[in-house]
Amino acid sequence: MNLHEYQGKEILSSFGVNIQRGIVATTADEAVEAAKKLTEETGTGWHVIKAQVHAGGRGKGGGVKLAKNLKEVKEIADNIIGMNLVTPQTTKEGKKVNQVLITEDVYYPGDNEPDEYYMSVLLDRAQGKNMIMYSPEGGMDIETVAEKTPDKIFTEVIDPATGILPFQARKIAFNLGLSGKAFKEMCKFVTSLYKAYEGSDSSLFEINPVLKTSDDKIMAVDSKVTLDDSALFRHKDYEAMRDIREEDAAEVEAKKAGLSYVNLDGNVGCMVNGAGLAMATMDLIKQAGGEPANFLDVGGTADAKRVEEAFRLILKDEKVEAILINIFGGIVRCDRVAEGVVEAYKNLGDQIKVPIIVRLQGTNADLAKEIIDNSGLNVESAVLFKEAADKVHEVLS
Ligand code: GDP
Ligand code: MN
């Protein structure tokens, strides 16, 4: 689950990470109130208006703007709220901005080369450890730094058993070229950032930029957080931060129905039980000359209700030209699934306009094939994997 910048900053702050202060607003008037409050609290005269959407590169798309007085705060907030923000990380339709974060301006006026760093904490799956990735080249997008000047990217592997050790924090501050007060501040910053990552059960905490202010404070100006969904049950307060407006509508619906569904770009919808078989099925579709339109795992109990929900999801996708149902009957009996498919088909009848290939293998597979073949519906059955692939190829060509 991804968070908005302001939510990530709330978590950071709760773990003692120094952040650029801000208040969220959903209207231009609220934005002005927020700006006034920030002036009272921090003494800042200038504010930054930042679009809150689940996408980076907002600055480049016009979603981050500096306001030098309250009139500008109002104008800019009015422009940004409700706009469709297009950034290098969104689709060309962009993302609708529902809220903005009003922050204190923390940059030194006239400083054209502020000291901005990149820092992220993430899970290094290959090593089974956590990793801090950092660079003195912050502010710009890290992929470009990685491509053009890979020597400017450093990594520090953190053993989850010990957490970040003081010498590691010092090494990071040193590699970022810091000394004196800023050095000490950076050690504190990276230590509490690691604690925030660990304590929130995140799989990614990315801060770009981390800023060294003109008075040598280190603070998070941006935040990108991905929480580990499997650990959300331990964090009810973070779970409440979910903003489903930012998520794929079909994926939200799938979640409600207990299905694992990921929307993809291809033309063959798939309905499969088990994640491994779903992956193999996607490979199979590619081999047959198609492209999977989705990943869909209906889980162990592929009953009529789930099959129907799965059908509904796939049929919403206009790119789908064929549907491949690939179920292995281990615990679930194939004949039950076949009955489910027939029943779901009857319920959805006129909505189904694309060919369907069903491959059922395992317990009572022969019986299942009979049920499909005798149903009189426009459904092709197959018993073997290869057979199913050939049929997909046939209907696509
Ligand atoms: P992103 O473009 O989505 O990554 O959004 P960021 O939060 O990183 O903001 C984009 C850029 O806005 C930053 O790299 C900064 O250069 C600039 N920015 C952010 N906060 C301030 C601020 O307080 N003052 C000024 N002058 N610029 C800021
Ligand atoms: Mn950023």
Side-chain angles (χ1 to χ4, degrees), residues 334-335 338 358 360 364-375 380-384 387 391:
C334 290
D335 54 323
V358 185
L360 292 158
N364 292 354
D366 294 344
L367 204 56
K369 186 166 162 40
E370 235 176 86
I371 293 171
I372 300 283
D373 289 344
N374 295 335
S375 67
E380 297 245 21
S381 69
V383 173
L384 299 175
E387 221 181 320
K391 287 194 169 161

mmCIF file of all heavy atoms in Angstrom, residues 334-335 338 358 360 364-375 380-384 387 391:
data_model
loop_
_atom_site.group_PDB
_atom_site.id
_atom_site.type_symbol
_atom_site.label_atom_id
_atom_site.label_comp_id
_atom_site.label_asym_id
_atom_site.label_seq_id
_atom_site.Cartn_x
_atom_site.Cartn_y
_atom_site.Cartn_z
ATOM 1 N N CYS A 334 -12.757 -30.300 -9.860
ATOM 2 C CA CYS A 334 -12.936 -29.641 -11.157
ATOM 3 C C CYS A 334 -14.408 -29.545 -11.573
ATOM 4 O O CYS A 334 -14.828 -28.567 -12.173
ATOM 5 C CB CYS A 334 -12.156 -30.381 -12.237
ATOM 6 S SG CYS A 334 -10.385 -30.190 -12.058
ATOM 7 N N ASP A 335 -15.187 -30.593 -11.259
ATOM 8 C CA ASP A 335 -16.593 -30.550 -11.679
ATOM 9 C C ASP A 335 -17.337 -29.410 -10.980
ATOM 10 O O ASP A 335 -18.217 -28.773 -11.567
ATOM 11 C CB ASP A 335 -17.294 -31.903 -11.462
ATOM 12 C CG ASP A 335 -17.158 -32.407 -10.027
ATOM 13 O OD1 ASP A 335 -16.082 -32.205 -9.429
ATOM 14 O OD2 ASP A 335 -18.129 -32.995 -9.510
ATOM 15 N N ALA A 338 -16.369 -26.330 -12.845
ATOM 16 C CA ALA A 338 -17.059 -26.318 -14.140
ATOM 17 C C ALA A 338 -18.507 -25.847 -13.948
ATOM 18 O O ALA A 338 -19.012 -25.020 -14.713
ATOM 19 C CB ALA A 338 -17.020 -27.701 -14.767
ATOM 20 N N VAL A 358 -11.542 -22.993 -21.290
ATOM 21 C CA VAL A 358 -11.426 -23.468 -19.916
ATOM 22 C C VAL A 358 -10.557 -24.706 -19.885
ATOM 23 O O VAL A 358 -10.798 -25.654 -20.629
ATOM 24 C CB VAL A 358 -12.806 -23.846 -19.338
ATOM 25 C CG1 VAL A 358 -12.665 -24.228 -17.862
ATOM 26 C CG2 VAL A 358 -13.779 -22.701 -19.484
ATOM 27 N N LEU A 360 -9.360 -27.425 -17.202
ATOM 28 C CA LEU A 360 -9.478 -27.919 -15.836
ATOM 29 C C LEU A 360 -8.694 -29.213 -15.739
ATOM 30 O O LEU A 360 -8.865 -30.117 -16.548
ATOM 31 C CB LEU A 360 -10.950 -28.176 -15.504
ATOM 32 C CG LEU A 360 -11.818 -26.920 -15.428
ATOM 33 C CD1 LEU A 360 -13.281 -27.251 -15.642
ATOM 34 C CD2 LEU A 360 -11.636 -26.228 -14.087
ATOM 35 N N ASN A 364 -11.486 -35.084 -10.878
ATOM 36 C CA ASN A 364 -12.715 -35.061 -11.698
ATOM 37 C C ASN A 364 -12.607 -34.179 -12.936
ATOM 38 O O ASN A 364 -13.603 -33.592 -13.372
ATOM 39 C CB ASN A 364 -13.924 -34.600 -10.865
ATOM 40 C CG ASN A 364 -14.312 -35.613 -9.806
ATOM 41 O OD1 ASN A 364 -13.737 -36.714 -9.764
ATOM 42 N ND2 ASN A 364 -15.266 -35.281 -8.973
ATOM 43 N N ALA A 365 -11.425 -34.125 -13.527
ATOM 44 C CA ALA A 365 -11.232 -33.274 -14.712
ATOM 45 C C ALA A 365 -12.114 -33.736 -15.883
ATOM 46 O O ALA A 365 -12.673 -32.909 -16.609
ATOM 47 C CB ALA A 365 -9.766 -33.287 -15.124
ATOM 48 N N ASP A 366 -12.239 -35.068 -16.056
ATOM 49 C CA ASP A 366 -13.035 -35.586 -17.183
ATOM 50 C C ASP A 366 -14.500 -35.202 -17.037
ATOM 51 O O ASP A 366 -15.153 -34.784 -17.998
ATOM 52 C CB ASP A 366 -12.893 -37.104 -17.267
ATOM 53 C CG ASP A 366 -11.453 -37.502 -17.626
ATOM 54 O OD1 ASP A 366 -10.709 -36.602 -18.094
ATOM 55 O OD2 ASP A 366 -11.085 -38.665 -17.420
ATOM 56 N N LEU A 367 -14.965 -35.335 -15.818
ATOM 57 C CA LEU A 367 -16.350 -34.963 -15.520
ATOM 58 C C LEU A 367 -16.575 -33.483 -15.830
ATOM 59 O O LEU A 367 -17.591 -33.082 -16.414
ATOM 60 C CB LEU A 367 -16.585 -35.234 -14.022
ATOM 61 C CG LEU A 367 -18.008 -35.468 -13.557
ATOM 62 C CD1 LEU A 367 -18.631 -36.624 -14.333
ATOM 63 C CD2 LEU A 367 -18.001 -35.802 -12.054
ATOM 64 N N ALA A 368 -15.583 -32.669 -15.464
ATOM 65 C CA ALA A 368 -15.662 -31.226 -15.668
ATOM 66 C C ALA A 368 -15.731 -30.893 -17.151
ATOM 67 O O ALA A 368 -16.531 -30.061 -17.586
ATOM 68 C CB ALA A 368 -14.442 -30.553 -15.042
ATOM 69 N N LYS A 369 -14.923 -31.595 -17.954
ATOM 70 C CA LYS A 369 -14.913 -31.356 -19.398
ATOM 71 C C LYS A 369 -16.285 -31.668 -19.992
ATOM 72 O O LYS A 369 -16.791 -30.938 -20.836
ATOM 73 C CB LYS A 369 -13.825 -32.213 -20.053
ATOM 74 C CG LYS A 369 -13.645 -31.910 -21.544
ATOM 75 C CD LYS A 369 -12.365 -32.520 -22.059
ATOM 76 C CE LYS A 369 -12.301 -32.655 -23.578
ATOM 77 N NZ LYS A 369 -12.826 -31.593 -24.382
ATOM 78 N N GLU A 370 -16.871 -32.741 -19.471
ATOM 79 C CA GLU A 370 -18.200 -33.143 -19.940
ATOM 80 C C GLU A 370 -19.222 -32.048 -19.645
ATOM 81 O O GLU A 370 -20.037 -31.699 -20.494
ATOM 82 C CB GLU A 370 -18.602 -34.407 -19.180
ATOM 83 C CG GLU A 370 -18.968 -35.584 -20.068
ATOM 84 C CD GLU A 370 -19.258 -36.802 -19.200
ATOM 85 O OE1 GLU A 370 -20.418 -36.951 -18.745
ATOM 86 O OE2 GLU A 370 -18.294 -37.556 -18.958
ATOM 87 N N ILE A 371 -19.152 -31.509 -18.435
ATOM 88 C CA ILE A 371 -20.093 -30.457 -18.029
ATOM 89 C C ILE A 371 -19.963 -29.247 -18.955
ATOM 90 O O ILE A 371 -20.956 -28.707 -19.443
ATOM 91 C CB ILE A 371 -19.854 -30.039 -16.558
ATOM 92 C CG1 ILE A 371 -20.215 -31.204 -15.630
ATOM 93 C CG2 ILE A 371 -20.660 -28.793 -16.198
ATOM 94 C CD1 ILE A 371 -19.829 -30.997 -14.174
ATOM 95 N N ILE A 372 -18.718 -28.854 -19.228
ATOM 96 C CA ILE A 372 -18.485 -27.693 -20.114
ATOM 97 C C ILE A 372 -18.985 -28.005 -21.525
ATOM 98 O O ILE A 372 -19.729 -27.219 -22.126
ATOM 99 C CB ILE A 372 -16.972 -27.341 -20.176
ATOM 100 C CG1 ILE A 372 -16.429 -26.994 -18.791
ATOM 101 C CG2 ILE A 372 -16.702 -26.229 -21.185
ATOM 102 C CD1 ILE A 372 -16.764 -25.636 -18.255
ATOM 103 N N ASP A 373 -18.581 -29.172 -22.042
ATOM 104 C CA ASP A 373 -18.940 -29.512 -23.427
ATOM 105 C C ASP A 373 -20.454 -29.663 -23.619
ATOM 106 O O ASP A 373 -20.981 -29.358 -24.682
ATOM 107 C CB ASP A 373 -18.224 -30.802 -23.853
ATOM 108 C CG ASP A 373 -16.724 -30.571 -24.026
ATOM 109 O OD1 ASP A 373 -16.318 -29.385 -24.116
ATOM 110 O OD2 ASP A 373 -15.963 -31.549 -24.057
ATOM 111 N N ASN A 374 -21.152 -30.126 -22.563
ATOM 112 C CA ASN A 374 -22.600 -30.333 -22.699
ATOM 113 C C ASN A 374 -23.419 -29.111 -22.309
ATOM 114 O O ASN A 374 -24.642 -29.157 -22.339
ATOM 115 C CB ASN A 374 -23.041 -31.529 -21.831
ATOM 116 C CG ASN A 374 -22.425 -32.832 -22.344
ATOM 117 O OD1 ASN A 374 -22.084 -32.941 -23.519
ATOM 118 N ND2 ASN A 374 -22.261 -33.791 -21.455
ATOM 119 N N SER A 375 -22.732 -28.040 -21.918
ATOM 120 C CA SER A 375 -23.486 -26.879 -21.415
ATOM 121 C C SER A 375 -24.163 -26.101 -22.532
ATOM 122 O O SER A 375 -25.084 -25.322 -22.289
ATOM 123 C CB SER A 375 -22.545 -25.937 -20.661
ATOM 124 O OG SER A 375 -21.626 -25.361 -21.585
ATOM 125 N N GLU A 380 -14.951 -23.205 -24.812
ATOM 126 C CA GLU A 380 -14.109 -24.295 -25.289
ATOM 127 C C GLU A 380 -13.432 -24.948 -24.096
ATOM 128 O O GLU A 380 -12.933 -24.251 -23.220
ATOM 129 C CB GLU A 380 -13.006 -23.729 -26.182
ATOM 130 C CG GLU A 380 -13.524 -23.057 -27.416
ATOM 131 C CD GLU A 380 -13.089 -23.789 -28.658
ATOM 132 O OE1 GLU A 380 -12.754 -24.990 -28.546
ATOM 133 O OE2 GLU A 380 -13.063 -23.161 -29.713
ATOM 134 N N SER A 381 -13.406 -26.258 -24.087
ATOM 135 C CA SER A 381 -12.735 -26.885 -22.969
ATOM 136 C C SER A 381 -11.437 -27.528 -23.428
ATOM 137 O O SER A 381 -11.270 -27.896 -24.581
ATOM 138 C CB SER A 381 -13.635 -27.932 -22.326
ATOM 139 O OG SER A 381 -13.786 -29.015 -23.203
ATOM 140 N N ALA A 382 -10.532 -27.643 -22.519
ATOM 141 C CA ALA A 382 -9.257 -28.290 -22.797
ATOM 142 C C ALA A 382 -8.822 -28.993 -21.526
ATOM 143 O O ALA A 382 -9.150 -28.553 -20.426
ATOM 144 C CB ALA A 382 -8.218 -27.255 -23.204
ATOM 145 N N VAL A 383 -8.102 -30.081 -21.691
ATOM 146 C CA VAL A 383 -7.618 -30.782 -20.505
ATOM 147 C C VAL A 383 -6.135 -30.509 -20.313
ATOM 148 O O VAL A 383 -5.665 -30.289 -19.211
ATOM 149 C CB VAL A 383 -7.898 -32.297 -20.604
ATOM 150 C CG1 VAL A 383 -7.244 -33.037 -19.446
ATOM 151 C CG2 VAL A 383 -9.405 -32.547 -20.593
ATOM 152 N N LEU A 384 -5.416 -30.472 -21.438
ATOM 153 C CA LEU A 384 -3.970 -30.272 -21.327
ATOM 154 C C LEU A 384 -3.609 -28.792 -21.465
ATOM 155 O O LEU A 384 -4.289 -28.036 -22.149
ATOM 156 C CB LEU A 384 -3.257 -31.082 -22.412
ATOM 157 C CG LEU A 384 -3.493 -32.592 -22.334
ATOM 158 C CD1 LEU A 384 -2.847 -33.293 -23.514
ATOM 159 C CD2 LEU A 384 -2.961 -33.160 -21.017
ATOM 160 N N GLU A 387 -2.963 -27.852 -25.049
ATOM 161 C CA GLU A 387 -4.226 -27.772 -25.768
ATOM 162 C C GLU A 387 -4.851 -26.376 -25.564
ATOM 163 O O GLU A 387 -5.330 -25.738 -26.499
ATOM 164 C CB GLU A 387 -5.158 -28.814 -25.147
ATOM 165 C CG GLU A 387 -6.009 -29.618 -26.105
ATOM 166 C CD GLU A 387 -6.881 -30.586 -25.286
ATOM 167 O OE1 GLU A 387 -6.389 -31.165 -24.285
ATOM 168 O OE2 GLU A 387 -8.046 -30.718 -25.621
ATOM 169 N N LYS A 391 -5.575 -23.367 -28.303
ATOM 170 C CA LYS A 391 -6.917 -22.787 -28.486
ATOM 171 C C LYS A 391 -6.884 -21.265 -28.338
ATOM 172 O O LYS A 391 -7.584 -20.557 -29.052
ATOM 173 C CB LYS A 391 -7.902 -23.415 -27.511
ATOM 174 C CG LYS A 391 -8.228 -24.839 -27.946
ATOM 175 C CD LYS A 391 -9.424 -25.413 -27.263
ATOM 176 C CE LYS A 391 -9.795 -26.710 -27.990
ATOM 177 N NZ LYS A 391 -10.651 -27.591 -27.195
#
